[in-house]
Amino acid sequence: MGHTPLIMQLTCSNCGARYAVDPLAIGPTGRTVQCVRCSHRWFQKPDAPPVGESPSEAPPAPAVTAPDIVIRPSTPGAGLPALTTPAAAKRRNWGTWIAYAIVLVVLLGGAGYAYRDQIKARLPASWRAMLHLDVANPTANPSRVARAHLGIDMSTTKIDLIDGRYVVLGELINTGTAPGSTRSLKLVFRAGEQVLAERAMPLVEGPIAPGARRSFSLPLDEPPSGATNIVPTVD
């Protein structure tokens, strides 16, 4: 009797990218898959049984309903879920009200500047002293507060299989104006829009200078069953 292969090799007919896929994800009747590299889609049939084995001799394959998952090129750890960039938070449509507020502030500011001497003359002396209107204002603006803004460069971050263990490899980048350090890496495991699990692991790196990068490597336990993507963030 034949045995179901542990890994099934797929090749994109459009760009030639190769993939290592669990045969159970394809199912006994085949399914439509999509190439991550060029987005080409095709219907993939399951591997044929080995030569000399008739279909009647092979045990019937269990009916498996596999979710639509994105597959990656055949590299170490390619069977893991894809790392995805966190979705941007939805913003309310306040554009019109903000535009009105900006126009109003500009108009009031312009009128106040144009008639500043008249307004100053009409204010009581106590008000002028409280508002320091009789003291010359400095010409230099105060400097902006420098802040660090640490994040993950998703273009260089991946999950790999090293010495039989899953490892998260990536780069931290500081896009702020001051040095900063990280304390932990948070991973959110999802199946589509559903959150399956969250994990936080210590990741103490820094200080990282503004505009600088720093590589990191963290071991990762087996991802939750059914996870199709992972959203990483740093704290």
Side-chain angles (χ1 to χ4, degrees):
M1 297 179 66
H3 297 279
T4 302
L6 297 178
I7 295 297
M8 181 177 178
Q9 297 291 334
L10 276 66
T11 303
C12 176
S13 60
N14 185 53
C15 67
R18 301 187 64 191
Y19 302 91
V21 180
D22 188 343
L24 294 180
I26 301 301
T29 59
R31 61 172 292 174
T32 298
V33 295
Q34 180 177 352
C35 178
V36 171
R37 181 180 298 171
C38 68
S39 299
H40 174 63
R41 297 174 68 91
W42 72 93
F43 185 80
Q44 178 65 45
K45 296 182 179 180
D47 282 344
V51 177
E53 178 183 327
S54 64
S56 60
E57 296 176 353
V64 177
T65 303
D68 288 332
I69 58 175
V70 178
I71 51 180
R72 285 186 173 275
S74 180
T75 56
L80 289 171
L83 283 168
T84 58
T85 304
K90 294 182 179 179
R91 297 180 178 177
R92 297 182 177 179
N93 187 15
W94 294 102
T96 302
W97 290 103
I98 293 176
Y100 287 150
I102 292 175
V103 172
L104 181 60
V105 170
V106 171
L107 291 176
L108 292 176
Y113 182 80
Y115 297 98
R116 61 188 182 280
D117 293 334
Q118 292 88 333
I119 295 175
K120 177 181 177 182
R122 291 178 177 272
L123 288 175
S126 58
W127 284 39
R128 292 199 303 270
M130 180 178 63
L131 297 175
H132 304 285
L133 295 179
D134 295 327
V135 180
N137 293 326
T139 57
N141 293 327
S143 59
R144 294 182 178 179
V145 178
R147 297 181 183 276
H149 190 274
L150 298 171
I152 297 177
D153 185 352
M154 294 303 302
S155 64
T156 60
T157 301
K158 63 180 180 178
I159 300 178
D160 211 340
L161 187 63
I162 300 177
D163 297 331
R165 189 173 187 182
Y166 296 133
V167 178
V168 181
L169 302 173
E171 283 189 349
L172 300 170
I173 182 171
N174 185 359
T175 58
T177 56
S181 304
T182 63
R183 295 177 298 178
S184 63
L185 173 70
K186 181 180 178 181
L187 299 178
V188 179
F189 298 87
R190 294 177 175 268
E193 296 298 325
Q194 180 185 4
V195 176
L196 299 180
E198 296 183 3
R199 295 180 188 173
M201 299 178 290
L203 180 62
V204 180
E205 297 287 348
I208 303 174
R213 295 170 172 266
R214 181 168 299 186
S215 300
F216 69 90
S217 173
L218 282 179
L220 173 67
D221 294 333
E222 190 74 19
S225 176
T228 59
N229 56 77
I230 301 174
V231 180
T233 54
V234 290
D235 180 20

